[in-house]
Amino acid sequence: MTGGGGRRGPAPPKGWMAIRVGGAGEEQQRFVVPVGYLNHPLFVALLRAAEEEYGFHHAGAITIPCHVEQFRHVQGIIDRDTSASSSTAAGAGGHRHHHFHLCFRA
């Protein structure tokens, strides 16, 4: 789920969270993502990038310093991993290791 370009949208449903995504020189967009993203290594890496960019005590919604199209690509990977993990037998799945650096500094 994604929202429009407005600064605030409706409260996300239970089990979901609103974040803001936008790279340098780009208008930030609101995304509503499952809280399960917090368990995925790629999203954790995005959170670390946000901490480096904005600091730990950033006010307001979580803001990810990543271009929107790049984030959508990462989101697709996370969604595929989550879908694959939930469709495999318990303990047999897990996150794949992606070498993905579009949103991350070299």
Side-chain angles (χ1 to χ4, degrees), residues 14-34:
K14 185 174 181 164
W16 294 72
M17 63 183 175
I19 62 170
R20 302 206 57 81
V21 177
E26 179 179 48
E27 183 177 344
Q28 293 180 349
Q29 291 187 27
R30 182 178 188 261
F31 286 77
V32 178
V33 299

Side-chain angles (χ1 to χ4, degrees), residues 7-98:
R7 294 299 297 167
R8 290 193 61 128
K14 185 174 181 164
W16 294 72
M17 63 183 175
I19 62 170
R20 302 206 57 81
V21 177
E26 179 179 48
E27 183 177 344
Q28 293 180 349
Q29 291 187 27
R30 182 178 188 261
F31 286 77
V32 178
V33 299
V35 295
Y37 273 33
L38 294 169
N39 295 320
H40 195 282
L42 285 176
F43 195 76
V44 169
L46 289 174
L47 292 175
R48 285 191 182 117
E51 181 182 0
E52 288 177 19
E53 182 79 18
Y54 305 115
F56 186 73
H57 297 289
H58 175 71
I62 294 172
T63 303
I64 304 294
C66 179
H67 289 287
V68 171
E69 287 305 314
Q70 294 166 340
F71 176 76
R72 285 186 177 134
H73 185 73
V74 172
Q75 186 179 31
I77 293 169
I78 294 171
D79 289 342
R80 281 191 299 275
D81 282 358
T82 302
S83 175
S85 292
S86 65
S87 65
T88 58
H95 301 296
R96 289 154 190 75
H97 297 283
H98 298 284

